[in-house]
Amino acid sequence: MTRTLDHTHDPAAVSWVESARRPNGDFPIQNLPFGVFQRRGRGEAARIGVAIGDEIVDLSRAIGQGLLAGVDQEVQAAGSSRSLNAVMALGRDAARQLRHRLFALLEQGAPDQQAATGCLVPAETVDLLLPVDVGDYTDFYASIHHATNIGTMFRPESPLLPNYKFVPIGYHGRASSLVVGGTAVRRPMGQIKDDQAPTPVFGPTRALDYECEIGAYIASGNALGTEIRLADAEKHLFGISLLNDWSARDIQRWEYQPLGPFLAKNFATSVSAWVVTTDALAPFRVPAFDRPSGDPDPLPYLFSEANQRGGGIDVSVEVWLSTARMRAENVAAVRLSRSSLATMYWTTAQLITHHASNGCNLRPGDLLGSGTISGPSRDARGCLQELVGRAGESINLPTGEQRRFLMDGDEVTLRGACERAGTVRIGLGECRGLVLPA
Ligand code: MN
């Protein structure tokens, strides 16, 4: 949809920052994702940063030194703030202005290299913070493979409900318990009712799961009572990050009817620290889900040729697991799954348009989760519930340990990247979460 390529996507471009030239790195000069950081142990205020290799451009310092000359004053003011909300509120153009100016500063041969060097902070010396003060968080269910796998466990005869191919299904999540990757997550307590038991008990969940998702951040919003047409939807998409929608399946099973997920989900949701902009994703656009014949076309408000042609984004996502014992025995983390956002039944633009289609106002910094990203194959299932199924299979780990659900001390790491022949790979970084006892 928005597949405008320019010199910032040139695969031949390189940065004078050496670590940004490492093959298979996450943050080459073609990426330039935004985040918020704080130098460790200095007592300084949080500030916006842009990742380049193993370094971070301290944006307010660069602005203070006049290195962003030519960028609109209001964008510079927003770039000097403590979260990305003000930049997001100025819309996609603001992000593009910053991207273009930073590209010029960081490109090999840049006249301002010496001054820009003084604005670099080694990533290993900072704490990455939540990049956005999220006002509202919505989680969707956009993977038909995930919906089918889950549906099969409960309704083998008709896994998909009749609305699935018409409505992008979602629920309102909770923004207050969003945490940045690296934050440990405590095993939640809740009501659990065994099938045989007459009444529930209150205790720690015994079925803690992750959900591997992509989070989409809203740039400029829409006024209450107005819609966002599909043709305009990507103007409202600031960028994406990784998202882990931690879920307690036993609590969920008992509480979800009739109003949907509640305490099984809102104890914590992790997002990765770096927001990769829609502009950076331009070389990785792919067609929307190829609906098999027999599937209904999307209703007109969710349909456009442009969205069909390029509404998808090919971001591969992976889930890695490391147990406490694996770490103690120096056993490397194991990959549990790999899938792609490109396999989703609904594009991100369709999710935005649907969300606002009743006049609901989206605001800058709002977060939309994609839903668990599962592909058609077994090794592309994006949560444990799908990997182990209902029959009670277990995942065997190299230490001889087995998992059906997460145990205390387990660490889940999501990774994401865009790769395509003829382009430079860009990464989303990682989103880690260690499980603490209840
Ligand atoms: Mn979810």
Side-chain angles (χ1 to χ4, degrees):
M1 215 162 182
T2 310
R3 194 170 184 278
T4 320
L5 297 183
D6 59 37
H7 66 283
T8 65
H9 303 102
D10 180 357
V14 289
S15 174
W16 48 262
V17 178
E18 295 249 346
S19 57
R21 289 144 69 157
R22 201 186 308 124
N24 298 320
D26 279 341
F27 308 124
I29 194 168
Q30 289 83 358
N31 193 350
L32 303 177
F34 291 89
V36 169
F37 73 96
Q38 205 164 25
R39 287 199 285 180
R40 225 170 273 137
R42 302 247 187 161
E44 293 172 347
R47 47 185 69 193
I48 295 175
V50 174
I52 178 79
D54 297 337
E55 310 281 327
I56 296 170
V57 180
D58 179 339
L59 196 58
S60 38
R61 191 175 170 89
I63 289 166
Q65 295 192 356
L67 290 173
L68 268 67
V71 172
D72 289 351
Q73 283 304 319
E74 60 174 357
V75 177
Q76 294 200 40
S80 306
S81 61
R82 294 178 180 210
S83 78
L84 291 177
N85 293 67
V87 175
M88 290 174 159
L90 294 174
R92 289 268 312 274
D93 269 1
R96 183 170 296 162
Q97 282 191 43
L98 291 170
R99 172 182 174 85
H100 280 227
R101 181 60 197 141
L102 288 163
F103 185 94
L105 274 178
L106 295 167
E107 196 179 14
Q108 192 164 46
D112 295 318
Q113 175 176 341
Q114 200 168 9
T117 303
C119 300
L120 294 183
V121 182
E124 61 186 13
T125 66
V126 311
D127 291 319
L128 295 169
L129 309 179
L130 261 187
V132 182
D133 185 11
V134 175
D136 277 297
Y137 157 49
T138 300
D139 197 27
F140 283 92
Y141 195 57
S143 166
I144 193 168
H145 304 292
H146 172 69
T148 303
N149 289 338
I150 295 295
T152 302
M153 293 182 206
F154 298 99
R155 299 173 304 275
E157 65 297 341
S158 62
L160 282 184
L161 293 170
N163 57 6
Y164 190 82
K165 292 178 179 179
F166 293 94
V167 188
I169 302 292
Y171 68 94
H172 284 302
R174 188 162 180 89
S176 69
S177 50
L178 287 167
V179 295
V180 71
T183 308
V185 170
R186 195 162 291 285
R187 177 179 300 276
M189 306 285 287
Q191 281 199 26
I192 299 157
K193 187 188 161 303
D194 288 336
D195 286 345
Q196 301 80 6
T199 54
V201 296
F202 183 79
T205 177
R206 286 168 265 167
L208 184 61
D209 201 351
Y210 57 81
E211 291 188 345
C212 176
E213 307 192 14
I214 288 289
Y217 287 99
I218 297 298
S220 50
N222 60 305
L224 182 64
T226 68
E227 61 175 344
I228 295 176
R229 293 178 337 114
L230 189 59
D232 298 327
E234 292 207 0
K235 294 180 194 156
H236 298 266
L237 174 61
F238 183 88
I240 65 169
S241 70
L242 297 161
L243 185 151
N244 183 345
D245 177 20
W246 301 93
S247 300
R249 301 303 182 193
D250 42 6
I251 299 172
Q252 185 176 3
R253 202 176 308 127
W254 173 236
E255 77 171 5
Y256 86 103
Q257 286 178 318
L259 286 184
F262 183 35
L263 302 182
K265 299 259 190 188
N266 71 5
F267 58 94
T269 304
S270 303
V271 289
S272 55
W274 297 109
V275 183
V276 173
T277 63
T278 307
D279 277 349
L281 297 167
F284 308 99
R285 303 313 298 260
V286 291
F289 187 85
D290 186 15
R291 292 184 173 215
S293 61
D295 275 19
D297 280 339
L299 293 182
Y301 77 103
L302 291 177
F303 182 87
S304 77
E305 288 298 338
N307 183 64
Q308 290 302 306
R309 217 169 35 240
I313 310 171
D314 190 9
V315 189
S316 68
V317 287
E318 298 179 344
V319 181
W320 294 76
L321 175 68
S322 155
T323 69
R325 187 167 147 200
M326 287 167 70
R327 294 192 299 282
E329 296 180 7
N330 275 317
V331 175
V334 294
R335 192 173 79 187
L336 297 183
S337 68
R338 184 171 203 266
S339 50
S340 169
L341 188 68
T343 64
M344 303 303 264
Y345 199 75
W346 301 101
T347 66
T348 308
Q350 285 171 320
L351 301 183
I352 292 171
T353 292
H354 181 66
H355 204 316
S357 62
N358 64 345
C360 172
N361 51 326
L362 301 180
R363 294 180 296 187
D366 279 2
L367 177 63
L368 274 50
S370 60
T372 306
I373 304 170
S374 295
S377 62
R378 192 175 170 78
D379 60 0
R381 298 180 174 183
C383 64
L384 285 174
Q385 186 175 37
E386 272 178 271
L387 282 170
V388 301
R390 263 211 136 171
E393 294 164 56
S394 292
I395 292 166
N396 297 310
L397 298 170
T399 44
E401 296 173 283
Q402 293 191 322
R403 286 292 181 275
R404 284 183 45 70
F405 289 103
L406 297 171
M407 307 288 280
D408 296 343
D410 286 358
E411 186 176 55
V412 177
T413 302
L414 310 185
R415 296 214 172 87
C418 301
E419 291 175 279
R420 191 178 219 175
T423 69
V424 174
R425 173 192 192 276
I426 63 171
L428 273 64
E430 60 178 32
C431 184
R432 256 173 216 278
L434 175 71
V435 178
L436 299 179

